[in-house]
Each structure stands twice: as structure tokens, then as C-alpha cells.
Amino acid sequence: PELNEQVIIRPDGRISLQLVREVRAAGLTPEELTNLLIKKYASDLLNPEITVIVRSFGGQKVFVDGEVNRVGIVALAGPTTLMQLISQAGGLKETARVDEIIVIRHLPNGKYTIIPANVEKIIDGTDFNQNIVLQPFDIVHVPRSAIANVNIWVDQYIRKNVPIPFSVYY
């Protein structure tokens, strides 16, 4: 009983426990974590009986940036698709490159993968497989369209730097 604990998974995906110190818990099911803890405690306890109970889910969020109306963190309340996330982010700006949205996903092995998505194909109904289901901590980036990049370049390097005389006539 003196080893019974309620712990919270830290941002680094680990938990701290008596006797076994730190254990990576993120990405494991309760059953997988139970089996891992039984193995870890076996060297200190004769017959370890361990039960992992998930009390609450925290930190289930994705990040969205780029050419959406509200960039930032979006909490996941169940399975969420790319289009649902875009809707929660206030929709796409006119300057969005809808055919080259990227989802950056952190893999359990510590590496990242890039998943391209074409929202144009979702909207016109030609490929609903592009409407991927997001996972916690995914990063969705909506890039700026080529013409929007040209407009910014013209504004920064021509309109703001080249003095253009103008007159007002009445």
C-alpha cells in the first residue's frame, strides 16, 4: 500500500515512481504500462500486483499555424479531422495554399514525419482520404500561396522602398 501512487505523465512523456524512478509512459496503453511496471518492480517485490487506471486525459491538443484565421493550440475532444481543425481555427485565409498543407507528426521513436494534405481535394469531393485524423501534438501548417508571397514581396521591396510621387486633384 505504501507504494500506491497517483501520478501525472510529464510533458516529456515520463512518470516518476518510487523504487523504479522514471518510466516512459507516453504512447503506451494502460495494459502495456502495467506489464512494463510489473517487470520493473519484479527485482524489488516478490509478486508485484499493479493496476494502471487512467483518471483523466490531459494535454490532448494540436497546434495550427500559417494561413488560418486563428493560429494557436486547439484542444482535441475526441477524434478530430484536418477539416474540423481548420474549422476550429476560424477557416482558411484567402492567402492559404490549400493544396500543400502539411501535418508534422512526432513518432514514438523520437523522429518526425511529414504528412502532406490537399484540402482542395477534400472540398471538391475527389479525395476524402486527404482529411486525415489528427493525433495529439500534431502540428498543422497552412502555407501561404505563391501569389500571396509575391504580394508581400512587392509590398516590402517596392511600395515601401521606392518613393512614388502622387498628387491629389480636386
Side-chain angles (χ1 to χ4, degrees):
E2 59 273 3
L3 296 177
N4 288 347
E5 299 181 72
Q6 285 190 22
V7 296
I8 296 173
I9 298 176
R10 299 187 316 239
D12 66 355
R14 298 182 178 277
I15 57 175
S16 299
L17 298 167
Q18 300 174 52
L19 301 180
V20 296
R21 305 277 182 224
E22 292 190 0
V23 177
R24 179 148 184 85
L28 299 178
T29 65
E31 182 181 358
E32 292 169 335
L33 182 57
T34 299
N35 293 333
L36 176 64
L37 292 175
I38 288 171
K39 288 178 190 172
K40 294 235 181 228
Y41 275 108
S43 62
D44 294 311
L45 303 174
L46 186 58
N47 289 317
E49 291 184 27
I50 297 173
T51 304
V52 173
I53 300 171
V54 178
R55 302 257 184 227
S56 67
F57 293 94
Q60 302 294 309
K61 55 192 163 201
V62 294
F63 306 89
V64 61
D65 73 344
E67 300 301 297
V68 293
N69 288 307
R70 285 190 308 270
V71 300
I73 299 170
V74 176
L76 294 178
T80 303
T81 65
L82 180 60
M83 288 300 292
Q84 289 169 329
L85 174 74
I86 290 170
S87 177
Q88 288 180 313
L92 297 168
K93 292 182 179 179
E94 288 182 8
T95 53
R97 186 183 314 164
V98 295
D99 60 338
E100 291 184 20
I101 293 173
I102 60 169
V103 177
I104 304 167
R105 180 164 292 160
H106 187 237
L107 301 174
N109 63 5
K111 297 188 179 194
Y112 290 89
T113 187
I114 304 290
I115 305 166
N118 186 336
V119 171
E120 204 168 48
K121 290 185 177 184
I122 302 168
I123 293 169
D124 69 17
T126 57
D127 187 3
F128 290 112
N129 291 325
Q130 299 286 317
N131 197 15
I132 62 173
V133 175
L134 300 170
Q135 293 181 5
F137 304 106
D138 278 353
I139 300 167
V140 177
H141 177 71
V142 180
R144 193 178 298 122
S145 68
I147 192 66
N149 284 330
V150 170
N151 285 340
I152 288 172
W153 185 88
V154 167
D155 188 50
Q156 289 177 343
Y157 294 100
I158 296 177
R159 288 188 203 131
K160 290 182 180 175
N161 290 320
V162 178
I164 301 172
F166 66 92
S167 302
V168 178
Y169 297 99
Y170 292 101

